[in-house]
Amino acid sequence: MTIPVFEPWNDPEAKPLIQFQNVTKRFGEFTAIDDLTLGIYEREFFALLGPSGCGKTTMMRMLAGFETPTDGKIYLSGQDIAPVPPNKRLVNMMFQSYALFPHLSIWDNIAFGLKRENKPKHDIEERVQEMLRLTRLEKFARRKPHQISGGQRQRVALARSLAKAPKLLLLDEPLGALDKKLRQDTQFELMDIQEKTGTTFVIVTHDQEEAMTVASRVAVMDNGKLVQVATPDRIYENPNSVYVADFIGDVNIIEGTAKPTGPDQYDITWKEGAEPLNVKSQNSFSDGQTCHLAIRPEKVTISADKPADADNAVQGRVLDIAYLGNISTYHVELPTGAVIKAQTANTRRIARRAFTWEDPVWLSWTATAGVLLAE
Amino acid sequence: MNRLSWFNTVSLTLGFAFLYIPMVILIIFSFNESKLVTVWGGFSAKWYGELLQNESFLQAAWVTLKVAVLSSTLATVLGTMAAYVLVRGGRFLGRTLFSGMIYAPLVMPEVITGLSLLLLFIGIGLDRGVMTIVLAHTTFAMCYVSVVVSSRLITFDRSLEEAALDLGCSQAEAFRLVTLPIIAPAVISGWLLAFTLSLDDLVIASFTAGPSATTLPIKIFSAVRLGVSPEINALSTIMIGIVTVGVVTASLVTKRQMVRQRRDEQNAERS
């Protein structure tokens, strides 16, 4: 039996649950969202990632109904949602500040949305109980929000927004207020809950690690535009621009000019007097075109002697070492003055580290290790 | 406990003396046996007894209370609504003008407020009585309420209201179920402020009161013009007592609430 791969975005038959169609949002002179078109599919865990002010929160607020697009249309299940007020949308939101009602108990907070639907009392009780169980809050049902810890508050906010079983759940920086360790645990909890409930999640975050961990697809935004929308591994391995490569994780960017040498093969002249780099690229470049080679530090191998059969090898000396416990990042200065970062896993104890400051070393990588980008 | 320096001790003593010596003298003389206000004739509570026999004082007290309760309630409703619109309404046309105008009565001389109200009531042919005092007090107290409530609303986390809307509330339900319970302390203190303002207002009340309705401050003022009687001292002492009890209770309640909340929060963090 094969498990079907979940990737409705590659299925031309699949209809997106949410469809942004040429949506523009302006606040006075400022354009927050610029002619944006995007489809988000059912059961997806979709992450909007970008620096603050890139428009990701505006997109979420338009989905929730707190902002209306200046231009363009947003469809939910094929229906234009512009005329639907927030309280009539099958969309719920988890707020960055959690926005728990301080005068109500945890139980009443979770029941708040259900009570608005005039459901029978018994159904409400059952649903709240279910939510408390899902978020492991049974013990705290009678407490007030200020009587529980930050992590518990976060779970109350989640339970409250899930209680009405929305078609779409919006999460605005849901883990921003938690410390790192708790955040990591909660990320897995979120994924687990998303899978159990089968709800479509859209998460807004500026933390790229968080987006990579939880999301089925990530949209990287900048200045109100989508720069790239793809699965986390494609975003990381095949960024479509220097902006994305630089925003996600650590990267070495080497600028140079391309010279085609064969099918998908290029020589990159990058420094006067240095040997050209040998790169394989799916993106095509013309002779003499300016290009950027983006290469991740962990794909650069560091060694004492020149490797015999490497596609690319450069010599330098260790300028700095960042020891992070499990891995170390070496900053290696080349004779040309450029600094390249190389990362190795610390599989041996630190006392037996092979290189130290000022050591001459060789850096090498394969022709397919990096991505060649135009801009 | 820190010992106060001599400078602080002197400042404190002078300040408190300045504030409270007149009231202390008034309270002492309310227990004066003698009919002459400025001559001490021994301790007695007889003026309190006589006060309870004085029909016209009791009548005025009842009117004052009625006016204070009605006008402060009305002012609280109107002031809260005004504050809500001004803080939450966004940038509608004329917002700055409106917010300026709502605070104007705060600095308007009472004589002018009273006079203009009097002209209005005569103009529309409204007989002066309890009704007109209530309207007049509502007018000038609602801006105090709106100042108190809007300062609370400014610090109110807007996402709480958005969360209520998101969970299915209409705008009105969100206000009733979420905003109002949370800003309730500010609304209550606005009410108390309006209540005390109405209770001790003399100028506006004397413009808008008719022969059928006299408030206590008007009564005291006109009685004093005929000479200060120990009865008035007794009445004033009772009023001081009521206000003191009210203020002390309110501050104790607030303080206890704060202490409890802080303790709960500390417990939550530890667990």
Side-chain angles (χ1 to χ4, degrees):
Chain A
M1 200 182 113
T2 53
I3 298 166
V5 187
F6 178 74
E7 42 188 27
W9 48 88
N10 286 334
D11 180 1
E13 294 290 298
K15 282 240 180 317
L17 176 72
I18 307 154
Q19 179 78 48
F20 283 80
Q21 215 168 66
N22 303 98
V23 173
T24 297
K25 174 71 187 175
R26 284 186 212 96
F27 296 103
E29 293 288 293
F30 176 70
T31 307
I33 301 289
D34 192 3
D35 191 28
L36 185 145
T37 299
L38 171 69
I40 299 172
Y41 296 85
E42 211 171 324
R43 302 179 79 90
E44 249 199 281
F45 201 140
F46 194 89
L48 292 166
L49 179 65
S52 55
C54 71
K56 55 192 196 297
T57 302
T58 308
M59 276 184 75
M60 172 157 290
R61 290 176 63 82
M62 286 197 290
L63 283 173
F66 301 128
E67 307 285 356
T68 43
T70 315
D71 260 320
K73 293 230 185 308
I74 304 172
Y75 298 97
L76 178 67
S77 315
Q79 199 193 354
D80 183 7
I81 55 170
V84 186
N87 52 333
K88 299 275 188 285
R89 289 189 187 189
L90 296 171
V91 175
N92 282 129
M93 180 156 168
M94 186 183 147
F95 290 82
Q96 185 174 10
S97 61
Y98 306 150
L100 299 181
F101 305 131
H103 58 298
L104 300 177
S105 69
I106 303 313
W107 198 96
D108 285 317
N109 261 284
I110 297 172
F112 191 88
L114 300 167
K115 283 183 179 168
R116 304 281 79 72
E117 291 174 335
N118 291 321
K119 277 196 172 163
K121 210 170 164 210
H122 177 75
D123 289 8
I124 294 179
E125 272 166 20
E126 212 163 87
R127 182 70 181 157
V128 173
Q129 206 53 43
E130 195 184 330
M131 285 297 119
L132 287 170
R133 213 175 311 123
L134 185 70
T135 49
R136 294 182 285 109
L137 286 164
E138 293 108 316
K139 276 192 286 179
F140 307 104
R142 294 287 146 213
R143 296 219 196 153
K144 290 274 179 71
H146 62 87
Q147 293 168 316
I148 58 175
S149 69
Q152 289 160 349
R153 269 177 235 171
Q154 188 270 345
R155 298 213 298 273
V156 177
L158 182 65
R160 187 180 68 179
S161 50
L162 276 172
K164 292 181 79 171
K167 269 191 187 170
L168 171 66
L169 183 72
L170 307 169
L171 304 111
D172 186 8
E173 305 260 2
L175 313 176
L178 305 181
D179 58 65
K180 195 170 181 196
K181 186 94 181 74
L182 191 56
R183 199 158 64 213
Q184 284 171 346
D185 295 343
T186 315
Q187 283 166 3
F188 286 101
E189 224 169 88
L190 267 184
M191 289 158 75
D192 198 36
I193 287 172
Q194 194 260 347
E195 242 163 70
K196 270 188 203 159
T197 57
T199 315
T200 311
F201 277 29
V202 173
I203 184 174
V204 155
T205 179
H206 65 268
D207 180 348
Q208 44 110 353
E209 235 176 87
E210 186 172 301
M212 304 277 286
T213 310
V214 298
S216 58
R217 277 195 306 161
V218 177
V220 182
M221 292 186 71
D222 185 34
N223 282 328
K225 282 186 183 298
L226 294 171
V227 185
Q228 188 171 12
V229 183
T231 54
D233 58 300
R234 283 200 63 82
I235 291 257
Y236 189 77
E237 299 277 343
N238 292 303
N240 66 359
S241 61
V242 173
Y243 177 81
V244 175
D246 200 29
F247 193 78
I248 308 281
D250 212 354
V251 73
N252 296 299
I253 305 280
I254 301 169
E255 196 180 331
T257 47
K259 182 166 171 280
T261 54
D264 293 345
Q265 286 274 358
Y266 297 91
D267 269 355
I268 310 298
T269 316
W270 58 292
K271 268 278 156 66
E272 208 55 49
E275 222 176 290
L277 301 174
N278 173 12
V279 173
K280 254 185 154 79
S281 167
Q282 305 284 328
N283 310 334
S284 52
F285 289 85
S286 57
D287 195 0
Q289 193 183 342
T290 305
C291 61
H292 302 81
L293 176 65
I295 181 159
R296 302 287 180 192
E298 73 272 13
K299 296 204 167 62
V300 178
T301 311
I302 186 164
S303 55
D305 304 312
K306 182 173 184 176
D309 51 356
D311 294 328
N312 300 288
V314 290
Q315 199 182 18
R317 60 183 186 86
V318 177
L319 190 68
D320 236 330
I321 306 173
Y323 172 70
L324 302 171
N326 55 341
I327 52 168
S328 289
T329 305
Y330 295 85
H331 292 226
V332 176
E333 191 180 28
L334 306 184
T336 55
V339 174
I340 289 188
K341 286 172 275 187
Q343 219 167 50
T344 52
N346 292 326
T347 49
R348 309 168 72 177
R349 299 195 70 89
I350 189 166
R352 320 206 29 195
R353 185 156 68 188
F355 315 104
T356 183
W357 285 267
E358 301 297 334
D359 276 0
V361 289
W362 281 90
L363 299 177
S364 57
W365 61 88
T366 63
T368 52
V371 185
L372 204 55
L373 302 164
E375 53 180 332
Chain B
M1 282 290 181
N2 287 334
R3 273 183 65 89
L4 289 171
S5 70
W6 68 269
F7 179 78
N8 286 352
T9 316
V10 170
S11 326
L12 197 69
T13 317
L14 278 178
F16 272 101
F18 195 81
L19 282 172
Y20 289 104
I21 281 181
M23 279 189 238
V24 171
I25 288 173
L26 185 141
I27 293 170
I28 291 170
F29 275 99
S30 77
F31 293 103
N32 191 356
E33 168 78 44
S34 161
K35 196 165 175 58
L36 296 165
V37 178
T38 46
V39 181
W40 183 253
F43 181 84
S44 159
K46 75 171 184 191
W47 300 114
Y48 288 88
E50 280 198 17
L51 193 64
L52 290 175
Q53 308 293 316
N54 189 328
E55 198 59 41
S56 72
F57 270 135
L58 290 179
Q59 183 77 32
W62 175 235
V63 169
T64 310
L65 200 65
K66 240 183 349 193
V67 167
V69 169
L70 280 173
S71 69
S72 56
T73 308
L74 263 172
T76 305
V77 173
L78 290 174
T80 305
M81 277 160 61
Y84 190 78
V85 173
L86 288 175
V87 176
R88 282 282 186 273
R91 299 179 169 277
F92 58 88
L93 187 69
R95 184 181 171 280
T96 320
L97 182 69
F98 276 117
S99 62
M101 272 165 64
I102 196 128
Y103 299 142
L106 286 177
V107 291
M108 192 69 72
E110 288 190 333
V111 179
I112 293 174
T113 312
L115 185 61
S116 59
L117 283 163
L118 176 65
L119 291 175
L120 173 75
F121 293 143
I122 292 172
I124 61 172
L126 201 60
D127 274 343
R128 277 171 293 150
V130 174
M131 174 74 165
T132 48
I133 313 175
V134 169
L135 287 177
H137 281 181
T138 306
T139 310
F140 91 99
M142 77 164 263
C143 54
Y144 288 89
V145 176
S146 102
V147 170
V148 173
V149 173
S150 60
S151 70
R152 174 68 186 89
L153 277 174
I154 285 166
T155 60
F156 184 90
D157 181 6
R158 185 127 198 215
S159 58
L160 285 169
E161 275 168 22
E162 287 180 341
L165 292 178
D166 187 65
L167 292 166
C169 281
S170 64
Q171 203 96 36
E173 278 177 319
F175 180 77
R176 184 167 57 85
L177 294 168
V178 173
T179 314
L180 196 56
I182 295 170
I183 63 164
V187 174
I188 291 169
S189 61
W191 187 90
L192 281 170
L193 186 63
F195 183 81
T196 48
L197 283 171
S198 166
L199 211 59
D200 65 23
D201 166 67
L202 170 68
V203 179
I204 293 175
S206 51
F207 273 103
T208 53
S212 62
T214 312
T215 63
L216 213 47
I218 299 177
K219 193 87 199 162
I220 294 174
F221 188 67
S222 53
V224 166
R225 281 202 293 194
L226 303 173
V228 184
S229 79
E231 243 179 321
I232 297 210
N233 287 346
L235 181 63
S236 308
T237 305
I238 290 174
M239 283 177 88
I240 291 173
I242 290 171
V243 171
T244 310
V245 168
V247 169
V248 170
T249 323
S251 70
L252 279 182
V253 168
T254 330
K255 196 171 178 191
R256 189 179 308 165
Q257 207 164 18
M258 264 168 57
V259 168
R260 190 184 309 149
Q261 181 151 346
R262 199 172 309 137
R263 199 187 49 216
D264 284 342
E265 266 162 25
Q266 280 168 353
N267 285 345
E269 240 130 75
R270 232 177 280 131
S271 69

